[in-house]
Amino acid sequence: QDEAKIPFTAFMLDWLEMMKPNLDKPTYASYSFCIKSKIVVYFDEFFPGLALCDLTPKHIQDYYTYEMRERGVSANTVIHRHANIHKALKYAVKIGLINSNPSDRIERPKKEKFVGSIYNQEELEQLFEVVKGDPIELAVILGAFYGLRRSEVVGLKWNAIDFKQKTITIRHTVTQVTLDGKSQIIQKDRTKTKSSYRSLPLIPPFEELLYRLKAQQEMNRKMCGKGYCNDFREYIYVNEIGELIKPGYITQHFPLVLKKNGLRKIRFHDLRHSCASLLYANGVSLKEIQEWLGHSDISTTSNIYTHLDFSSKIASANAIISVFPTE
């Protein structure tokens, strides 16, 4: 019974620590931020010392209302916070600390339907023009033409490019997380996820860009000498001194480029939506688009990811090659 008198916030922190070995770093970082920076902060301020056994559905409901009304947090963010609280309290029931889960008896806010902004063909052509020579150029092309996620753009390695077979294989990601106030870079192979692991055709204009980048990197390496960072030689997306371009750089730099050139504001990830939209407008089937983008759809079973024949992907490439930047 004494265990049940544990403060709710202390229990949440204990649960987070217990979960740490079972979660990959990005997921743990998300849980940690949510619990330490938001849930614990709120309950310590408004209900200090509230025992786990005294937690009611109203306490939780009031927290969600406060976040949305006072803090302007979105319904989708509150749903994520609810998932953390619900999972932790489910464990508390399982080990006998409480008899029932109070988060079962609250009204979750309705999930907001996401509507992404997309660029049309003309806007993409303008974008390709203004990013020429800019450090963001590679990210924009990979995002808009190949529909790559930010983590896939940064994670692209030279060994993923087969210049003989003319293919690009997406199999490695680089993500950036903040843990206890410190930024960390997470590098991992994605070979286990069928939908994310995919090969795409290497089209001539992009092949030329890669050769230019390779030559530029060799020149930078010679010019910098010992000052050049060799830790990321296997990666394509590095700066002048060989340091890996971080995912956060893309997020911060992309809107600045748009603003500077008077282009309509969209998120970097919206280039992926633009790619899908352009494919669809050119008659590429939804199944082929799913294959091209490496989408996983939770409403379908894993056997939907049967590999399409490569010619269909070449058709996908040809469908949007007209907007690719040329010299």
Side-chain angles (χ1 to χ4, degrees):
Q1 192 62 33
D2 287 339
E3 280 187 316
K5 285 294 179 186
I6 180 177
F8 168 59
T9 53
F11 166 75
M12 289 298 293
L13 292 170
D14 286 349
W15 177 79
L16 176 66
E17 201 55 37
M18 184 204 72
M19 292 294 289
K20 191 174 184 177
N22 306 323
L23 303 170
D24 63 14
K25 270 194 178 175
T27 307
Y28 174 73
S30 171
Y31 277 35
S32 181
F33 173 76
C34 174
I35 291 169
K36 290 181 180 179
S37 305
K38 303 299 175 184
I39 297 168
V40 167
V41 168
Y42 170 86
F43 279 94
D44 277 349
E45 183 181 343
F46 293 100
F47 302 101
L50 175 70
L52 173 62
C53 61
D54 295 329
L55 182 72
T56 66
K58 189 173 188 319
H59 286 124
I60 301 169
Q61 198 80 63
D62 286 349
Y63 166 57
Y64 297 159
T65 302
Y66 172 84
E67 287 286 44
M68 292 179 76
R69 284 188 186 165
E70 303 298 322
R71 298 276 183 198
V73 168
S74 72
N76 291 355
T77 300
V78 168
I79 289 168
H80 281 298
R81 306 241 176 107
H82 173 72
N84 282 159
I85 291 173
H86 186 268
K87 197 171 181 181
L89 294 177
K90 188 178 177 184
Y91 174 73
V93 173
K94 184 180 176 182
I95 61 172
L97 289 180
I98 51 177
N99 294 324
S100 63
N101 188 339
S103 67
D104 280 337
R105 303 194 302 279
I106 62 102
E107 286 293 324
R108 282 194 335 164
K110 282 187 178 174
K111 191 169 186 179
E112 296 154 353
K113 191 177 180 184
F114 171 74
V115 181
S117 300
I118 58 167
Y119 267 12
N120 59 31
Q121 183 166 331
E122 189 182 327
E123 288 173 308
L124 282 176
E125 286 170 355
Q126 280 183 291
L127 177 62
F128 285 141
E129 195 57 44
V130 302
V131 298
K132 275 185 181 173
D134 189 281
I136 202 84
E137 181 182 15
L138 179 67
V140 165
I141 289 169
L142 287 170
F145 183 81
Y146 284 108
L148 264 57
R149 302 169 177 94
R150 188 182 64 163
S151 58
E152 293 169 342
V153 169
V154 182
L156 202 61
K157 294 182 177 184
W158 286 110
N159 67 9
I161 313 295
D162 188 330
F163 288 102
K164 286 183 181 175
Q165 297 296 322
K166 308 293 183 196
T167 62
I168 304 171
T169 303
I170 313 304
R171 56 175 171 234
H172 184 80
T173 59
V174 172
T175 49
Q176 197 170 359
V177 301
T178 303
L179 259 178
D180 300 325
K182 291 180 181 176
S183 182
Q184 291 187 26
I185 294 294
I186 312 291
Q187 300 153 293
K188 68 176 182 180
D189 291 318
R190 289 287 295 270
T191 50
K192 286 182 182 176
T193 311
K194 278 187 180 179
S195 53
S196 292
Y197 184 96
R198 60 202 189 275
S199 288
L200 300 169
L202 177 62
I203 54 151
F206 186 60
E207 186 178 3
E208 287 164 23
L209 174 62
L210 288 174
Y211 278 126
R212 286 206 309 276
L213 285 173
K214 209 167 181 52
Q216 185 68 52
Q217 285 176 21
E218 287 301 326
M219 193 166 77
N220 290 341
R221 194 175 289 123
K222 286 174 184 173
M223 286 174 68
C224 294
K226 288 182 180 178
Y228 194 83
C229 173
N230 285 298
D231 297 347
F232 304 103
R233 282 185 72 157
E234 61 198 323
Y235 287 94
I236 294 174
Y237 207 9
V238 296
N239 65 15
E240 297 92 337
I241 58 169
E243 295 169 335
L244 188 68
I245 299 284
K246 292 185 173 70
Y249 170 82
I250 297 175
T251 306
Q252 291 157 10
H253 192 63
F254 181 65
L256 297 177
V257 170
L258 298 184
K259 190 175 179 181
K260 181 185 171 186
N261 291 280
L263 295 175
R264 185 164 58 87
K265 184 181 177 182
I266 62 169
R267 304 170 313 156
F268 178 76
H269 195 75
D270 290 327
L271 293 179
R272 187 168 154 82
H273 299 304
S274 303
C275 171
S277 173
L278 208 55
L279 286 167
Y280 191 67
N282 280 278
V284 179
S285 75
L286 286 176
K287 189 175 180 183
E288 288 170 312
I289 293 169
Q290 183 183 2
E291 178 86 1
W292 182 266
L293 295 180
H295 268 150
S296 63
D297 187 346
I298 55 168
S299 68
T300 56
T301 51
S302 58
N303 64 11
I304 195 168
Y305 303 118
T306 48
H307 288 288
L308 299 177
D309 63 300
F310 205 72
S311 62
S312 71
K313 292 179 187 172
I314 290 169
S316 300
N318 290 338
I320 51 175
I321 199 168
S322 60
V323 301
F324 199 93
T326 51
E327 279 298 289

